[in-house]
Amino acid sequence: MLKSKVAVQVISPGMLTDDTLMLGESWLKQWKIPEGQPVVLKFGAFRQNVKVIAVAKYDGMRISQGLAKKMGILGNTPLRLQYKSSSSSLLLGPLIGVLISRDYPGAPDKPFGSITMFCRELVDGCAAQGGYVYFFTPNHIGSNTDSVEGWVYADGWRRTAVPAPDIVNNRLTSRKLENKANVQHFLKEIKQKHGTTVFNEKFLDKTEVFDALKKDAAVSRYLPESHLLRNYTMLKAMSSRYDNVFLKPVRGSLGKGIIRVSRAEGSGYQALFATTAGSRRQQFPNLLKLYATISTKMKTVRYQIQQGLQLIEIQKRPVDFRALVQKNKAGKWSITSIVARTAGSQHFVSNLARGGTLSKVGEAVAKSNLTSGKADASSRLQQAALLIAKGIENQIPAHFGELGIDLALDTGGRVWLLEVNSKPSKNDNTPLTDNKIRPSVRMVIQYSRFLSGF
């Protein structure tokens, strides 16, 4: 196996010209790099002819400050190196661009708000694995698709011009930002012009996910009955089939706007509305009156109507599971983590934003009212998550590198899919460990290396 991680050192002005770089002699021998002849240096979209000078008894690479600035490198950094003799190209990378929703230049310690820690872990992970990462928002994208203004970390967060990357990890958290003309144009252009790979390229909505997965024989058993709510007839039909049904905003997240409809004791129906403060209950004499209330909301929100499930509970609080499924260094789906989420006392949804709590799968299952299949519940959840990730990849024409998959167990032990999120949160799905760089961050870098050939 050829050695590929090289320590790149930026040296003080005047010692090297911008078209020359110094490289340890062993690298030239190992990769058969010609000495003193022009080769093309490539770093993301950056290209420059350089000549390489061999240095005896030295294991790194030295570049001038001028060359480093053109490459967007603000300090010493370890990178992966490859030489392609067919094109006389010396490749450094991978260069990873993470597209995020917003930045806070006035807060130098936390320029990315609640995901600053995640961004810093990516920087440290790249230093460990060899790679260079920067962070940019839709506002940093200009008319030139060869470079963007991005944040890099070098003794503190700084903004600088960086080349268009080998890989873009799309971490935008709003559809509005993702659909902006400059964002769509930039992503399309860098794919065509620079061969950039973009993963997690789009949001998923619930109708799209369930309609796509219905076509996949391997996962259909995990799907509760689910339709786009179009009219009263559909609500009536679903309510007659099931004790309760859930209405979920097609484009919602974090449990916002979910309504649970069930028969009330005695007669009539009741609706439970998920709010930040807890569940709001409303009684209706009949289903038609309930539908009239919901239909006003339907003018602005599309709902997916879903079969209600008898979820396992701990002390009358429903429990579900969030699996983080990511592509690994071989480009295959793998489970990074699964955690149990127990709903807060005033809520019927388990999201942490609604007062839910995290625990390990085994602990939650052991405490729950699950009647059978406790021993292998964890492995069945894992199997379901992997099959669903593969189903999404096979049925939906977009590139995903990580998915948050919400699963449930009913009291009989059957596994069900609740929803799939293509932008899993970097705040609340952290595995319950104290490691400095969480496994999910390492996996993003490994997958980026796989995609870019480094």
Side-chain angles (χ1 to χ4, degrees):
M1 185 72 182
L2 290 169
K3 188 166 77 113
S4 68
K5 192 167 103 173
V6 64
V8 178
Q9 192 184 357
V10 182
I11 60 172
S12 39
M15 292 177 71
L16 257 185
T17 57
D18 292 356
D19 61 354
T20 308
L21 55 86
M22 298 165 87
L23 190 58
E25 200 169 48
S26 60
W27 289 99
L28 282 88
K29 284 181 183 158
Q30 182 188 314
W31 286 91
K32 302 184 173 58
I33 302 168
E35 185 178 2
Q37 294 175 30
V39 298
V40 183
L41 177 65
K42 293 183 177 180
F43 184 60
F46 173 79
R47 305 279 183 274
Q48 181 168 317
N49 285 331
V50 296
K51 52 181 189 294
V52 181
I53 298 169
V55 184
K57 295 180 184 160
Y58 174 63
D59 197 32
M61 175 186 283
R62 291 185 185 129
I63 60 174
S64 70
Q65 272 190 351
L67 180 57
K69 191 171 191 305
K70 288 183 202 169
M71 294 166 74
I73 292 174
L74 296 188
N76 300 341
T77 185
L79 294 171
R80 296 277 163 184
L81 169 152
Q82 289 178 359
Y83 181 71
K84 302 228 162 122
S85 54
S86 57
S87 55
S88 302
S89 307
L90 183 63
L91 282 64
L92 292 175
L95 181 57
I96 304 167
V98 181
L99 179 53
I100 58 173
S101 293
R102 60 191 65 81
D103 62 348
Y104 305 93
D109 294 344
K110 284 189 90 172
F112 317 117
S114 63
I115 62 163
T116 303
M117 190 70 189
F118 159 76
C119 297
R120 185 59 208 274
E121 284 176 51
L122 268 174
V123 171
D124 293 345
C126 280
Q129 291 192 45
Y132 199 68
V133 64
Y134 65 84
F135 304 86
F136 66 113
T137 74
N139 294 337
H140 295 145
I141 297 170
S143 54
N144 176 8
T145 53
D146 294 338
S147 71
V148 293
E149 180 88 4
W151 287 92
V152 300
Y153 191 88
D155 298 327
W157 292 104
R158 307 180 198 186
R159 269 170 58 175
T160 188
V162 262
D166 299 306
I167 305 295
V168 170
N169 178 4
N170 176 359
R171 295 256 356 126
L172 291 176
T173 51
S174 94
R175 287 177 169 82
K176 193 174 163 189
L177 288 174
E178 190 168 87
N179 294 329
K180 280 180 78 166
N182 73 324
V183 172
Q184 289 301 321
H185 173 76
F186 177 76
L187 295 178
K188 188 179 163 196
E189 282 285 305
I190 60 174
K191 284 183 200 173
Q192 289 174 349
K193 191 173 173 187
H194 306 302
T196 300
T197 305
V198 180
F199 71 85
N200 286 34
E201 7 184 31
K202 71 185 201 84
F203 276 91
L204 292 168
D205 69 38
K206 293 176 181 70
T207 305
E208 174 186 30
V209 166
F210 279 85
D211 287 354
L213 292 179
K214 278 172 195 169
K215 300 174 196 153
D216 197 306
V219 298
S220 54
R221 65 173 185 244
Y222 300 121
L223 305 180
E225 187 180 350
S226 187
H227 310 277
L228 184 62
L229 178 61
R230 296 182 189 281
N231 48 41
Y232 171 68
T233 312
M234 187 176 280
L235 176 65
K236 189 178 171 188
M238 287 287 281
S239 296
S240 66
R241 269 202 288 288
Y242 303 107
D243 291 339
N244 57 70
V245 293
F246 280 82
L247 309 185
K248 299 179 176 181
V250 164
R251 295 189 154 183
S253 64
L254 302 175
K256 284 177 195 155
I258 295 178
I259 306 166
R260 187 173 85 178
V261 174
S262 55
R263 285 190 191 87
E265 283 176 24
S267 66
Y269 283 82
Q270 73 165 13
L272 275 183
F273 297 86
T275 73
T276 42
S279 306
R280 183 169 63 80
R281 189 185 306 264
Q282 204 173 340
Q283 300 278 122
F284 298 90
N286 56 48
L287 203 55
L288 202 53
K289 286 268 195 324
L290 187 151
Y291 182 74
T293 299
I294 292 164
S295 59
T296 56
K297 292 179 186 287
M298 285 168 66
K299 293 185 177 111
T300 51
V301 180
R302 289 188 307 144
Y303 286 97
Q304 185 81 354
I305 184 166
Q306 211 168 72
Q307 161 190 354
L309 304 168
Q310 195 66 46
L311 298 196
I312 61 169
E313 297 179 332
I314 297 174
Q315 294 168 344
K316 301 233 162 106
R317 297 180 186 189
V319 177
D320 66 20
F321 304 89
R322 163 57 68 96
L324 180 63
V325 189
Q326 292 178 291
K327 288 279 187 79
N328 62 16
K329 60 185 175 191
K332 300 272 187 279
W333 287 111
S334 63
I335 304 278
T336 303
S337 64
I338 300 192
V339 290
R341 303 186 301 184
T342 306
S345 56
Q346 304 301 315
H347 297 267
F348 61 90
V349 291
S350 66
N351 300 70
L352 301 194
R354 301 269 179 278
T357 51
L358 287 186
S359 60
K360 292 181 173 163
V361 173
E363 288 171 9
V365 168
K367 287 182 195 163
S368 78
N369 61 342
L370 179 61
T371 51
S372 63
K374 281 192 175 184
D376 66 343
S378 185
S379 61
R380 288 185 297 112
L381 289 165
Q382 290 188 28
Q383 182 191 14
L386 287 173
L387 286 171
I388 289 161
K390 288 172 189 163
I392 294 282
E393 181 172 43
N394 294 336
Q395 302 295 337
I396 295 180
H399 185 154
F400 300 104
E402 57 178 355
L403 295 167
I405 299 179
D406 291 347
L407 300 167
L409 285 166
D410 66 22
T411 47
R414 184 170 168 183
V415 177
W416 297 92
L417 172 65
L418 298 178
E419 64 179 280
V420 180
N421 183 345
S422 64
K423 307 295 176 84
S425 155
K426 291 306 169 197
N427 310 331
D428 77 358
N429 62 5
T430 313
L432 311 168
T433 63
D434 297 321
N435 292 354
K436 191 166 178 293
I437 300 174
R438 60 194 115 164
S440 61
V441 170
R442 284 201 287 271
M443 201 68 90
V444 167
I445 300 163
Q446 287 174 7
Y447 184 51
S448 299
R449 284 177 57 193
F450 165 80
L451 290 173
S452 58
F454 284 103

